[in-house]
Amino acid sequence: MLLLALDTATPAVTVALHDGERVLAEYGRVDARRHGELLLPAVDRVLAEAGVKLGSVTGFVVGAGPGPYTGLRVGLVTAAGFGAATGAPVYGLCTLDGIAYAAGRAGLDTGGRPFTVATDARRKEVYWARYADPRTRLTEPAVDRPAEVAGQVADGPAVGAGALLYGDVFRDVPAGMPEHQSAGALAALAAEKLAAGGTDGFLNEPGEPVRPLYLRRPDAQVPANYKVVTPR
């Protein structure tokens, strides 16, 4: 097994190669405005560090959001292109699931309580979901203003950039927890699921395209009443 994982749903551009047991190489950079510019060089860097050619990869794992439209589609389109070029399957995972799994690897202690993963959705909103443990999501991913979900997230800790940004709502944010996505954690989660012999938790069936979790319309909109400048 050689899984190449990538995610551009958060401000981090993150790529990792996993052999089914461990991360062979990983690279990440936080820059919310340069996903398209940074992703392919990051892939080249990870493959070169591991001494692996793209054609040797047996599967691609991509974070499918939720995330801002422009950044998220960079990773999804790239993963789909790699899959089409190599014939290897593409597996979509919820980005929040990867952060939850990374929090577990970082030693998150919830005291037996559910916890929340929250990322910055801009517009004074967060993408969020609740988890029973680092592998088990309790709710569907959602986008809301923090004050609107305060009652639902009050019980238990929270992790992620959204939780750090809105400390008045997410009051229990343990130190040392992941802020953005880690492709290494995303790849490890996918490897664990594939080793178990099922597709539970993936967002697509084998051979089907990965559907992005946009959750809301893109910021850029076509004007409703634009001026016609072409000859009639």
Side-chain angles (χ1 to χ4, degrees):
M1 181 188 297
L2 275 178
L3 297 177
L4 183 69
L6 52 95
D7 196 311
T8 57
T10 72
V13 176
T14 177
V15 180
L17 188 69
H18 197 284
D19 68 357
E21 296 184 356
R22 63 186 180 92
V23 173
L24 301 179
E26 182 173 9
Y27 176 77
R29 181 168 174 180
V30 177
D31 191 332
R33 298 182 180 275
R34 300 175 64 205
H35 290 88
E37 181 180 346
L38 295 173
L39 182 57
L40 288 179
V43 171
D44 287 343
R45 178 172 178 165
V46 165
L47 291 175
E49 182 178 334
V52 171
K53 299 293 186 182
L54 186 66
S56 299
V57 173
T58 60
F60 299 94
V61 183
V62 61
Y69 178 82
T70 302
L72 176 55
R73 67 178 179 176
V74 170
L76 289 167
V77 169
T78 301
F82 286 159
T86 64
V90 179
Y91 305 98
L93 282 173
C94 174
T95 293
L96 302 178
D97 291 358
I99 298 174
Y101 188 80
R105 286 158 54 105
L108 176 65
D109 182 7
T110 68
R113 299 171 296 168
F115 70 98
T116 303
V117 175
T119 60
D120 183 15
R122 305 174 188 171
R123 302 184 190 174
K124 298 182 179 180
E125 295 178 328
V126 293
Y127 296 116
W128 68 282
R130 294 278 282 170
Y131 291 80
D133 58 59
R135 294 175 175 82
T136 309
R137 179 158 37 88
L138 295 172
T139 65
E140 291 299 315
V143 57
D144 293 287
R145 290 185 178 272
E148 296 171 345
V149 300
Q152 300 176 63
V153 303
D155 178 30
V159 302
L164 289 168
L165 190 59
Y166 298 100
D168 57 330
V169 171
F170 302 97
R171 298 181 182 275
D172 182 5
V173 183
M177 291 295 108
E179 182 176 348
H180 303 300
Q181 179 66 288
S182 159
L186 193 72
L189 177 60
E192 186 177 291
K193 290 179 178 295
L194 291 170
T199 59
D200 183 47
F202 291 114
L203 299 177
N204 61 308
E205 294 296 327
E208 292 184 355
V210 178
R211 296 184 179 277
L213 297 172
Y214 289 132
L215 301 190
R216 68 184 184 202
R217 297 178 64 83
D219 293 333
Q221 299 288 331
V222 177
N225 298 304
Y226 58 87
K227 183 179 179 180
V228 177
V229 295
T230 55
R232 294 183 180 275

